């Protein structure tokens, strides 16, 4: 118990000394040891890495799970080391509602059949979304979270320890400075030869004794300063090594970012493929239900990025499925020069993206131009005949916005 009390008193004394030094530094009444410029740059880079990692982590969580209540629930499960329960995605829930609606409204009606087809597509989209969330959480979110909860906590702990060592060092420097000033004053008073007729000999003896005491105090302060300097240098080196490890963290996060982009690319490619299959199914059924109508949507299938030029966007757009010809299988391909537009059923269409013709049967397109389009019996629903002036050729529906 006695030992604990002594340790408690010692810790309280150290804490008080550090508090005094810190307060005097804030008021400009004490000098502080400055770190070198390289060390300060390492500290700034580490702080920036931590701040941006937190922001990227939080926003990625929002991207994967927009529902804040669900995110809080998942966070609590993780803190309690319990398995997060499986959650139905929005696409799967929509598919369930559509399937139930088709069953109640009549699965053999045109509307019911379409609901069933769309429900199957939405279910596949929901499954793809689930796989993407799982892959992104493991390959991207987990490494970022491990850095914040592991490496960064270690760096913060060592930085706090370095701050304490610096306060101890500066307090020792201040103590030594005061001791030397007092020693110099005592030495000056002790060097004066007293006049024993006017000055009491006792004062002279006290001055000499004080000078000896301050000499001992200076020696003690110098010893404490050497110890404090050694501990500060050692802690600065440990902290420097941890801060330089931020470069390895950047390399690891770069690899994780590539994996995240890869998983996101796979997810959107699956979504595009599922929707393209659904569009084909709906196109064939729409032609049977509404003869003479156009197959295709009036909205862009996958709009180009605003930061890219039309030519670049066209290069990145997936090209619609190729067709062997305009005629049904087993028949000779039609000659475009002999094709005449129907008496009714032609429409104007605005080109969404640049398109380069793959062969002489296709018509090259430029973004934002207007062309005349129409369909022919037996054509693939993903293609139309387009005319611009005296030029004529096949054009993909996904590159067009049909106008009224």
């Amino acid at each position: 118990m006695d030992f604990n009390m002594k340790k408690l008193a010692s810790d309280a004394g150290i804490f008080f000394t550090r508090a005094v030094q810190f307060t005097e530094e804030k008021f400009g009444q004490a000098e502080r040891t400055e770190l070198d410029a390289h060390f300060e740059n390492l500290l700034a880079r580490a702080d920036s890495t931590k701040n941006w990692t937190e922001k990227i982590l939080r926003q990625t969580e929002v991207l994967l799970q927009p529902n804040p209540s669900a995110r809080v629930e998942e966070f609590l499960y993780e803190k309690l080391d319990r398995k997060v329960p499986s959650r139905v995605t929005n696409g799967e829930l929509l598919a369930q509602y559509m399937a139930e609606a088709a069953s109640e409204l009549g699965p053999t009606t045109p509307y019911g059949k379409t609901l069933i087809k769309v429900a199957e597509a939405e279910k596949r989209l929901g499954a793809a979304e689930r796989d993407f969330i799982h892959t992104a959480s493991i390959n991207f979110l987990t490494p970022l979270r491990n850095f914040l909860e592991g490496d960064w906590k270690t760096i913060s702990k060592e930085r706090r320890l370095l701050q304490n060592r610096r306060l101890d060092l500066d307090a020792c420097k201040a103590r030594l400075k005061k001791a030397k000033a007092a020693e110099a004053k005592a030495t000056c008073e002790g060097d004066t030869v007293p006049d024993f007729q006017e000055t009491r000999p006792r004062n002279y003896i006290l001055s000499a004794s004080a000078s000896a005491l301050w000499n001992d105090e200076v020696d003690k302060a110098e010893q404490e300063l050497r110890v404090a300097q050694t501990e500060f240098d050692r802690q600065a080196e440990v902290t420097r090594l941890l801060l330089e490890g931020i470069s390895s963290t950047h390399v690891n996060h770069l690899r994780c970012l590539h994996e995240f982009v890869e998983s996101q690319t796979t997810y959107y490619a699956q979504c595009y493929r599922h929707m393209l299959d659904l569009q084909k199914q709906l196109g064939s059924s729409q032609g049977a239900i509404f003869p003479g109508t156009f197959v295709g949507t009036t909205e862009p299938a996958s709009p180009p990025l605003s930061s890219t030029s039309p030519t670049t966007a066209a290069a990145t757009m997936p090209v619609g499925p190729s067709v062997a010809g305009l005629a049904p299988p087993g028949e000779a391909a039609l000659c475009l020069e002999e094709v005449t537009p129907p008496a009714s059923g032609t429409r104007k269409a605005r080109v969404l993206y640049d398109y380069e013709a793959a062969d002489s049967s296709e018509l090259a397109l430029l973004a934002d131009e207007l062309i005349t389009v129409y369909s022919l019996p037996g054509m693939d629903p993903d293609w139309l005949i387009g005319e611009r002036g005296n030029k004529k050729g096949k054009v993909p529906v996904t590159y067009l916005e049909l106008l009224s």
Side-chain angles (χ1 to χ4, degrees):
M1 184 65 181
D2 185 35
F3 172 78
N4 291 337
M5 289 300 297
K6 289 182 178 179
K7 184 176 185 301
L8 181 62
S10 176
D11 292 343
I14 294 175
F15 176 79
F16 179 76
T17 302
R18 291 171 179 171
V20 171
Q21 177 66 26
F22 181 80
T23 304
E24 290 180 349
E25 289 177 358
K26 288 299 182 182
F27 285 98
Q29 299 175 356
E31 298 179 359
R32 59 171 294 169
T33 301
E34 298 293 341
L35 301 172
D36 60 84
H38 177 63
F39 200 98
E40 292 289 351
N41 290 335
L42 291 177
L43 290 174
R45 187 177 67 155
D47 290 334
S48 180
T49 300
K50 180 255 184 181
N51 294 334
W52 284 112
T53 301
E54 284 182 335
K55 293 180 180 180
I56 293 174
L57 175 64
R58 286 196 299 266
Q59 192 57 38
T60 306
E61 291 175 343
V62 172
L63 172 67
L64 300 180
Q65 178 51 265
N67 189 345
S69 300
R71 292 199 303 272
V72 172
E73 181 181 352
E74 293 174 358
F75 175 78
L76 293 177
Y77 274 103
E78 291 177 358
K79 290 303 179 181
L80 296 175
D81 292 332
R82 297 179 59 182
K83 183 179 179 181
V84 180
S86 178
R87 191 184 303 276
V88 178
T89 62
N90 293 328
E92 292 172 328
L93 187 60
L94 177 60
Q96 178 183 342
Y97 290 162
M98 287 185 171
E100 293 175 356
S103 177
E104 184 172 342
L105 299 176
T108 59
T109 63
Y111 182 44
K113 291 180 180 179
T114 303
L115 280 174
I116 293 175
K117 292 179 181 179
V118 177
E120 293 175 352
E122 293 295 338
K123 186 177 181 180
R124 290 193 293 268
L125 291 177
E129 180 184 1
R130 183 191 302 276
D131 294 340
F132 167 61
I133 293 175
H134 178 71
T135 304
S137 298
I138 295 177
N139 296 339
F140 189 62
L141 292 184
T142 299
L144 298 185
R145 195 176 290 114
N146 289 340
F147 165 73
L148 294 175
E149 297 179 356
D151 295 348
W152 182 252
K153 286 188 176 181
T154 302
I155 292 175
S156 300
K157 177 182 176 181
E158 297 300 331
R159 286 178 66 176
R160 288 193 298 269
L161 190 56
L162 177 63
Q163 174 72 356
N164 291 337
R165 294 289 182 264
R166 186 196 63 77
L167 290 173
D168 294 341
L169 175 62
D170 290 337
C172 289
K173 290 180 178 179
R175 191 179 303 116
L176 177 60
K177 184 177 180 180
K178 293 178 181 178
K180 287 185 175 181
E183 180 192 27
K185 182 177 180 181
T187 301
C188 291
E189 294 177 354
D191 289 343
T192 304
V193 179
D195 184 355
F196 290 100
Q197 294 180 354
E198 299 180 359
T199 307
R200 296 180 181 179
R202 180 172 175 271
N203 294 340
Y204 177 76
I205 295 173
L206 290 176
S207 298
S209 177
S211 177
L213 290 175
W214 282 115
N215 286 336
D216 295 340
E217 185 67 22
V218 169
D219 293 340
K220 181 181 178 181
E222 289 178 346
Q223 177 62 24
E224 292 178 351
L225 177 60
R226 285 191 292 269
V227 173
Q229 184 70 54
T230 301
E231 293 180 351
F232 172 77
D233 293 340
R234 184 186 300 114
Q235 184 59 37
E237 184 62 24
V238 171
T239 308
R240 183 191 302 274
L241 292 176
L242 290 175
L243 293 175
E244 290 175 348
I246 293 293
S247 298
S248 301
T249 300
H250 287 181
V251 174
N252 183 39
H253 288 182
L254 175 62
R255 178 183 57 81
C256 297
L257 184 60
H258 279 283
E259 293 179 355
F260 174 72
V261 172
E262 184 67 25
S263 62
Q264 199 170 26
T265 303
T266 302
Y267 166 62
Y268 285 118
Q270 290 175 345
C271 293
Y272 174 78
R273 185 169 61 252
H274 295 327
M275 295 309 297
L276 194 61
D277 293 340
L278 176 62
Q279 187 184 43
K280 289 182 180 179
Q281 297 177 25
L282 298 183
S284 59
S285 61
Q286 184 181 2
I289 299 172
F290 306 106
T293 59
F294 284 90
V295 178
T297 59
T298 58
E299 297 296 329
S302 45
L305 298 176
S306 59
S307 59
T308 57
S309 62
T311 304
T312 306
T316 59
M317 282 294 300
V319 180
S322 60
V323 291
L326 297 177
E331 300 182 10
L334 296 177
C335 180
L336 291 177
E337 287 73 9
E338 300 176 358
V339 173
T340 57
S344 62
T346 60
R347 293 178 63 177
K348 290 293 185 180
R350 184 176 67 88
V351 179
L352 299 175
Y353 329 110
D354 289 357
Y355 177 76
E356 186 173 352
D359 51 47
S360 58
S361 66
E362 297 181 1
L363 179 65
L365 304 175
L366 294 176
D368 296 327
E369 70 173 337
L370 294 179
I371 62 174
T372 302
V373 295
Y374 52 89
S375 179
L376 294 177
M379 282 190 64
D380 189 304
D382 293 322
W383 295 83
L384 295 172
I385 298 296
E387 290 187 0
R388 182 181 60 241
N390 58 354
K391 294 184 179 181
K392 184 186 306 181
K394 297 182 298 180
V395 292
V397 175
T398 53
Y399 283 72
L400 303 176
E401 179 184 0
L402 300 180
L403 306 177
S404 57

